[in-house]
């Protein structure tokens, strides 16, 4: 069974990983400036994929920050909708989740 400290470390590690990935995406987007039309079209398609990854990453950062705030205020591990305790198994899979299995549906 993971302790609250374990969960916090897991969330902080994921946050650091996402921060690095988002910086890499930003740097990659800044390098795409081909003069060739064919290459520019390919780069634009790659940019759309990278931008999608960036949006998903930013959403996860927001979820992690909210989970860290719940740790600080003592409400972590309880569903924000119904107030029931979130199972350890669910938190093992989705440590930033604000919802129990039933409310997440």
């Amino acid at each position: 069974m993971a302790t609250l400290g374990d969960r916090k470390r897991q969330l902080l590690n994921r946050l650091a990983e996402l921060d690095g990935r988002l910086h890499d995406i930003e740097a990659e987007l800044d390098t795409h400036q081909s003069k060739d039309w064919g290459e520019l079209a390919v780069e634009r398609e790659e940019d759309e994929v990278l931008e999608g990854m960036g949006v998903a990453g930013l959403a996860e950062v927001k979820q992690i920050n909210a989970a860290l705030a719940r740790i600080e205020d003592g409400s972590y591990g309880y569903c924000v909708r119904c107030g029931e305790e979130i199972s350890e198994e669910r938190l093992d899979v989705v440590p930033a989740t604000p919802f129990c299995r039933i409310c997440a549906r």
Side-chain angles (χ1 to χ4, degrees):
M1 186 160 111
T3 66
L4 197 58
D6 293 336
R7 298 278 185 215
K8 186 174 183 177
R9 272 188 298 286
Q10 183 181 18
L11 291 165
L12 289 171
N13 288 340
R14 180 64 179 153
L15 196 59
E17 181 183 317
L18 285 167
D19 183 59
R21 184 177 300 161
L22 291 170
H23 280 89
D24 290 346
I25 288 170
E26 186 176 330
E28 181 67 24
L29 287 169
D30 288 343
T31 65
H32 289 185
Q33 299 174 6
S34 179
K35 301 284 187 223
D36 179 87
W37 283 100
E39 288 179 21
L40 189 59
V42 170
E43 286 178 358
R44 187 63 207 138
E45 287 177 8
E46 290 173 358
D47 288 354
E48 289 175 10
V49 171
L50 289 172
E51 288 167 357
M53 291 170 61
V55 168
L58 289 172
E60 188 176 352
V61 165
K62 186 176 177 181
Q63 291 172 339
I64 291 170
N65 285 329
L68 291 169
R70 288 192 305 278
I71 287 174
E72 294 304 313
D73 73 17
S75 65
Y76 180 81
Y78 293 92
C79 181
V80 298
R81 184 169 294 147
C82 72
E84 291 295 317
E85 192 168 352
I86 300 170
S87 72
E88 284 291 321
E89 294 81 14
R90 181 160 171 76
L91 290 172
D92 287 343
V93 176
V94 191
T97 187
F99 303 114
C100 67
R101 183 181 54 81
I102 294 169
C103 290
R105 292 184 186 172

